[in-house]
Amino acid sequence: MASLGLRLKAVATSTLRSGAAATTLSRPCSFELAKRSRGFCSEPENDVPTSGIGRPLAKILKELNKKVPDSAIKTRVEDGFAMKYIPWHTVNRIMNLHAPEWSGEVRSVTYSPDGNTVTVAYRVTLYGTDAEIYRESTGTTSVNDKGYGDAVQKAEAMAFRRACARLGLGLHLYHEDAL
């Protein structure tokens, strides 16, 4: 299951009230960003080095498409094959760094008719100053799988990582053998 979405949004300069004084923002900011920053948007010379806040979607996607450092990549053996992956908590940190205005949600949890597997569908949405985009993916695991965490947790982590890969994060791991 895969889903793609893109929605453009208008960006305008806003006036916000902070206490008794009105503050006019000198550059476009989303309402949520302005609300989180207590009514102020930093000027370019005062920017905090967070790479995603208040940026066009293309710049966020460019950052997410960069190669993930080898130190963040783990390897596990499955069915006799070594598989490289990025742990979900590392993916979460990378998303927070490069796309701090992202959101994620579980869209569905489905058990197979025989009850042996569970599939989770997950959506990741990125919010840029000019547009928002989402990608969905699924993760399926055996309910009898031994190891850390329950089956739904494992399937959700798998679906989350795959949805982020559809946005470019760690995508190089899926085709590096072909390079």
Side-chain angles (χ1 to χ4, degrees):
M1 171 188 207
S3 179
L4 308 176
L6 173 67
R7 183 172 19 176
L8 298 177
K9 62 182 177 182
V11 179
T13 303
S14 305
T15 301
L16 299 174
R17 296 206 177 268
S18 177
T23 303
T24 301
L25 303 177
S26 59
R27 64 183 182 141
C29 281
S30 70
F31 176 72
E32 288 300 315
L33 172 63
K35 189 167 69 171
R36 280 196 302 274
S37 60
R38 292 181 177 79
F40 299 98
C41 244
S42 62
E43 294 300 320
E45 63 270 11
N46 297 327
D47 277 349
V48 176
T50 302
S51 62
I53 294 179
R55 293 188 318 153
L57 190 58
K59 288 187 178 183
I60 295 169
L61 291 170
K62 184 177 180 180
E63 288 296 316
L64 291 178
N65 275 277
K66 289 182 177 177
K67 187 174 189 271
V68 175
D70 290 337
S71 60
I73 298 170
K74 305 293 181 199
T75 304
R76 70 171 176 259
V77 176
E78 222 173 86
D79 297 327
F81 295 101
M83 295 178 49
K84 292 182 179 180
Y85 71 101
I86 306 168
W88 73 267
H89 53 86
T90 303
V91 172
N92 191 71
R93 285 185 176 198
I94 293 169
M95 292 294 288
N96 287 340
L97 176 64
H98 295 295
E101 295 184 36
W102 72 277
S103 67
E105 65 178 300
V106 172
R107 303 287 288 170
S108 67
V109 177
T110 309
Y111 287 87
S112 62
D114 61 7
N116 289 330
T117 62
V118 62
T119 300
V120 173
Y122 198 91
R123 174 184 285 184
V124 173
T125 305
L126 298 180
Y127 304 95
T129 56
D130 56 345
E132 59 187 59
I133 190 171
Y134 68 86
R135 296 290 184 262
E136 290 184 358
S137 194
T138 59
T140 302
T141 191
S142 169
V143 296
N144 301 317
D145 192 10
K146 305 297 182 226
Y148 186 76
D150 65 30
V152 174
Q153 178 186 17
K154 290 176 186 176
E156 180 182 347
M158 187 184 304
F160 169 61
R161 289 191 308 261
R162 288 177 175 170
C164 290
R166 290 180 179 276
L167 293 164
L169 179 57
L171 192 58
H172 61 90
L173 296 175
Y174 289 88
H175 60 80
E176 74 179 1
D177 290 340
L179 297 177

